[in-house]
Amino acid sequence: MPELELPKDDFVRDIIRDDLSKGSHQAVITRFPPEPNGYLHIGHAKSICLNFGVAKEFGGHCHLRFDDTNPAKEEQEFIDSIKEDVSWLGFDWGENLFHASDYFEQLYSWAESLINKGLAYVCDLSAEEMREYRGTLTEPGRDSPYRNRSVEENLSLFREMRAGGFPEGSKTLRAKIDMASGNMNLRDPALYRIKHAAHPRTGSTWKIYPTYDYAHGQSDAIEGITHSLCTLEFADHRPLYDWLIEHLTVPARPRQYEFARLNLTHTVLSKRVLMRLVSEGHVTGWDDPRMPTIRGMRRRGVPPEALKDFIGRLAISKSDSTIEMQMLDHSIREHLNEHAERRMAVLKPLKLTIRNWPKGQTEMLEVPNHPGRPELGTRKIPFSGSLWIEADDFMEDPPRKFFRLGPGREVRLRFAYLVTCEDFIKNETGEVTEIICTYDPATAGGNAPDGRKVKGIIHWVSAVHAIEAEVLLTSQLFKSENPSAGGDPIEDIDANSLEVVKEVKLEPELASALAGYPVQFERLGYFNRDPAQSQLAFIRTIGLRDSWAKTQTKG
RNA sequence: UGGGGCGUGGCCAAGUGGUUAAGGCAUCGGGUUUUGAUCCCGUGAUCCCUGGUUCGAAUCCAGGCGCCCCAGCCA
């Protein structure tokens, strides 16, 4: 069934539609501008989908541009991983791969032009002094004592800065705007700072680097970006963005528009905190399945289509909002329900022996790979008189509403036969170790010829044929909806969010499972072959909805 | 009287003066079902508050209240 995509409509697309109809632009050019100082997470995915999505919808292009203006924090490793993640999401920047560092020379000469116009000056204030001079949110700042240097002096100082004649932090190039502005960004913002660190792309060529504010808008202009979409916290920077575009002889006039960033319950999307989770060892790495990173979700088995579907349901607006994690869960389940093939696996094995099954006999059952999609074919699974069933599917003294096995109760072994529990065996500690049943030979395939009703259906794996693997069961990394509410989110980490289950029993077919193609373990959830382990292992992508668990907790 | 942004059901969110105030997620009922899954039905708001304009306001005006962002030579 082809997925029906509703036309997207939001304030950004309204603006674009309007610009296009007025003829302000021939085509739409957007950009996704990550700083290569970390891995992409689901919040970035929103921006990626917006920028690439909008470009595609209106027949334009989206550039992938690395905002690599701070060599102290950026690494090639991140450049590579970001490209990989964007591609995995299914977006293609084609020829349009850029770096702000490609424009360093041009940006530099524009900076000199600003100096020549008397709109920028070299300032000797230290970082601390600059902060003092900046004033506060409610009090105006004071002019730097270096604010009125001559053009000639500024020029020679700035050239000396470029030549590496000054130590890091000793000087900056600042725009001369308004130290009394209510907008802090206009209080003579720094345009260039001295950094002697090696840049992943330009090496040691440069001793000075442009700030975000100076580089971003100009890079947009150079690339002919028509709509520069960023998050709300940059709205205050827009007057500066516009000021620079106005005072520089740039080739185009890009406009910046801001939308609300994505927030999700039960997780945190701050680069700083994500970094701590990894560096302090609270998770196993950037690809830990509990991480909201693109690689974490990929390893977990979240299909890119599900992620994009989720983001497509989000609105592009300007109001701060926090989306419930269940929304994402829904998109994942919806996609996987349709696409994942079904398999059988037993997580907490309990032996079930069929007393009247012919000794040593194995029957191969042909079963569908998907209940609703016959085109996905069938597979054969072995059935025998000695099975593993889920320990949770048996109760010694079950309540009325428990539809599974209990003394004297009859259930359907999925796709196989109806069995009745005749007896059970306990060990010294009182733990049930084996269930003894008889099967009804007339119920092959699970059909009762007499039409008798069997409410319970349980899954199973033939004991002699089962293969084993390790399974990773994860739950939310954080206990509360808003992990930062109580202060340090690290305090809110759920120590039990990662459970490793060994020697899980699987139907033989699962030996050939491929990472990236999650399957449904019937009645349990969706599982992805763990790409990070060489031996057979699975990660639970997400569980099935479980109304039985709900009625249980309700008592 | 620092600047900027936002306020529609539990969570998102359409709506741009006349609609029974869309839709999705969640919840709770019910039906179907060889996954207690899926699927299918059904279920809730007078729109932050107070005044005003108008025949008529979530939509316009005025005044409040609340929340978020900004004082990096980070982005």
Side-chain angles (χ1 to χ4, degrees):
Chain A
M1 186 169 63
E3 282 180 32
L4 218 167
E5 273 204 33
L6 294 166
K8 303 223 193 322
D9 194 23
D10 50 62
F11 83 96
V12 169
R13 281 172 249 248
D14 282 347
I15 290 167
I16 293 174
R17 225 172 274 124
D18 195 45
D19 285 346
L20 252 24
S21 71
K22 283 191 316 210
S24 313
H25 300 291
Q26 303 295 92
V28 174
I29 307 195
T30 56
R31 101 270 90 112
F32 171 60
E35 182 190 15
N37 71 342
Y39 292 89
L40 261 28
H41 56 64
I42 189 168
H44 294 110
K46 179 179 179 184
S47 176
I48 293 169
C49 290
L50 206 220
N51 280 296
F52 278 92
V54 149
K56 187 176 181 189
E57 285 160 44
F58 294 96
H61 298 287
C62 179
H63 297 183
L64 174 59
R65 180 170 77 231
F66 288 96
D67 230 322
D68 54 350
T69 56
N70 187 356
K73 296 185 171 180
E74 298 152 5
E75 293 168 27
Q76 186 61 40
E77 149 80 8
F78 296 129
I79 294 183
D80 298 338
S81 70
I82 288 168
K83 287 198 259 188
E84 189 181 297
D85 287 349
V86 173
S87 296
W88 177 76
L89 273 171
F91 295 106
D92 181 12
W93 52 86
E95 302 296 297
N96 302 304
L97 174 65
F98 304 103
H99 302 78
S101 55
D102 297 339
Y103 315 131
F104 281 175
E105 195 60 54
Q106 173 64 268
L107 292 170
Y108 175 84
S109 78
W110 275 333
E112 286 205 351
S113 84
L114 240 25
I115 292 173
N116 281 315
K117 289 182 187 170
L119 295 174
Y121 62 97
V122 172
C123 182
D124 296 3
L125 252 29
S126 68
E128 305 80 71
E129 291 168 326
M130 207 185 278
R131 193 182 320 123
E132 285 167 29
Y133 273 82
R134 189 155 32 229
T136 69
L137 294 176
T138 53
E139 299 157 19
R142 290 137 52 209
D143 287 359
S144 161
Y146 306 97
R147 200 171 199 258
N148 294 311
R149 290 218 252 229
S150 68
V151 169
E152 294 67 36
E153 189 183 3
N154 279 323
L155 229 36
S156 94
L157 250 19
F158 189 45
R159 287 173 183 165
E160 188 59 27
M161 279 169 67
R162 173 178 183 164
F166 303 116
E168 275 193 30
S170 62
K171 285 180 168 49
T172 54
L173 180 75
R174 294 224 257 164
K176 192 189 284 190
I177 307 181
D178 177 9
M179 288 306 291
S181 172
N183 183 341
M184 301 297 277
N185 297 116
L186 263 22
R187 318 246 266 227
D188 289 9
L191 266 23
Y192 269 91
R193 54 326 194 176
I194 299 168
K195 288 202 183 278
H196 292 172
H199 186 281
R201 291 179 58 82
T202 61
S204 55
T205 311
W206 292 87
K207 308 298 176 197
I208 56 172
Y209 290 89
T211 57
Y212 162 84
D213 282 312
Y214 181 60
H216 203 92
Q218 282 42 257
S219 300
D220 284 344
I222 291 169
E223 293 176 19
I225 301 300
T226 54
H227 303 263
S228 187
L229 312 174
C230 63
T231 45
L232 245 31
E233 64 270 28
F234 290 99
D236 286 344
H237 295 242
R238 183 162 19 96
L240 175 55
Y241 182 103
D242 290 339
W243 186 91
L244 288 162
I245 294 283
E246 272 161 32
H247 294 285
L248 260 15
T249 316
V250 295
R253 170 72 224 239
R255 295 278 182 177
Q256 172 184 300
Y257 300 95
E258 311 87 20
F259 63 94
R261 69 188 312 154
L262 172 65
N263 294 298
L264 267 178
T265 59
H266 296 289
T267 191
V268 70
L269 297 179
S270 130
K271 263 187 192 176
R272 203 193 93 254
V273 177
L274 256 22
M275 200 84 77
R276 278 184 68 199
L277 291 176
V278 174
S279 65
E280 294 175 12
H282 299 108
V283 294
T284 58
W286 287 98
D287 68 345
D288 185 299
R290 294 165 295 176
M291 289 285 272
T293 49
I294 303 293
R295 23 216 334 112
M297 299 182 76
R298 173 162 68 227
R299 181 172 167 211
R300 214 226 300 180
V302 176
E305 295 84 359
L307 204 43
K308 288 191 284 190
D309 173 78
F310 164 70
I311 287 161
R313 290 170 194 247
L314 261 30
I316 302 301
S317 73
K318 289 173 96 80
S319 50
D320 287 311
S321 59
T322 301
I323 303 326
E324 294 178 332
M325 189 60 87
Q326 298 147 129
M327 271 254 207
L328 209 211
D329 293 348
H330 172 79
S331 288
I332 297 171
R333 286 199 185 97
E334 188 176 71
H335 185 274
L336 257 18
N337 175 55
E338 186 179 345
H339 298 279
E341 291 197 1
R342 269 75 301 199
R343 298 290 184 266
M344 289 212 277
V346 174
L347 259 34
K348 272 172 64 186
L350 171 61
K351 177 68 72 67
L352 182 150
T353 301
I354 302 174
R355 193 147 59 187
N356 58 338
W357 183 263
K359 259 206 165 43
Q361 185 174 310
T362 294
E363 185 177 335
M364 294 305 287
L365 308 176
E366 184 169 8
V367 307
N369 286 325
H370 190 112
R373 300 183 59 192
E375 72 274 22
L376 260 26
T378 61
R379 68 187 187 285
K380 291 217 163 83
I381 52 176
F383 180 86
S384 68
S386 178
L387 310 170
W388 292 114
I389 63 164
E390 211 66 61
D392 292 346
D393 286 337
F394 174 83
M395 280 182 93
E396 191 179 337
D397 185 20
R400 262 269 81 72
K401 302 226 292 200
F402 185 79
F403 304 145
R404 311 170 192 180
L405 269 183
R409 294 204 182 187
E410 182 175 50
V411 298
R412 171 181 293 119
L413 292 173
R414 174 137 240 233
F415 301 130
Y417 293 91
L418 264 37
V419 295
T420 302
C421 173
E422 306 289 356
D423 199 3
F424 59 93
I425 300 168
K426 283 184 176 181
N427 63 13
E428 325 72 59
T429 61
E431 193 186 354
V432 177
T433 56
E434 186 177 348
I435 310 296
I436 309 297
C437 293
T438 53
Y439 86 110
D440 179 347
T443 59
N447 303 299
D450 60 357
R452 98 183 86 114
K453 281 233 170 106
V454 180
K455 183 80 176 162
I457 301 150
I458 66 174
H459 60 277
W460 51 271
V461 170
S462 170
V464 286
H465 306 276
I467 58 172
E468 293 186 342
E470 175 183 301
V471 163
L472 265 42
L473 300 178
T474 63
S475 52
Q476 302 296 349
L477 219 207
F478 298 97
K479 288 179 283 193
S480 43
E481 281 206 351
N482 179 359
S484 305
D488 188 357
I490 301 294
E491 305 287 309
D492 191 47
I493 289 175
D494 180 354
N496 303 314
S497 55
L498 176 63
E499 184 188 352
V500 179
V501 186
K502 305 230 182 245
E503 295 173 356
V504 154
K505 312 294 184 185
L506 312 170
E507 64 166 269
E509 185 81 19
L510 252 4
S512 58
L514 260 28
Y517 296 87
V519 292
Q520 184 194 102
F521 289 177
E522 297 223 23
R523 302 212 305 138
L524 295 174
Y526 299 95
F527 292 74
N528 186 36
R529 170 91 185 251
D530 186 357
Q533 298 193 53
S534 50
Q535 77 272 26
L536 192 65
F538 289 86
I539 299 178
R540 182 173 62 195
T541 307
I542 193 165
L544 257 26
R545 291 183 61 179
D546 189 351
S547 58
W548 166 239
K550 266 182 204 164
T551 65
Q552 270 180 312
T553 50
K554 271 191 292 190

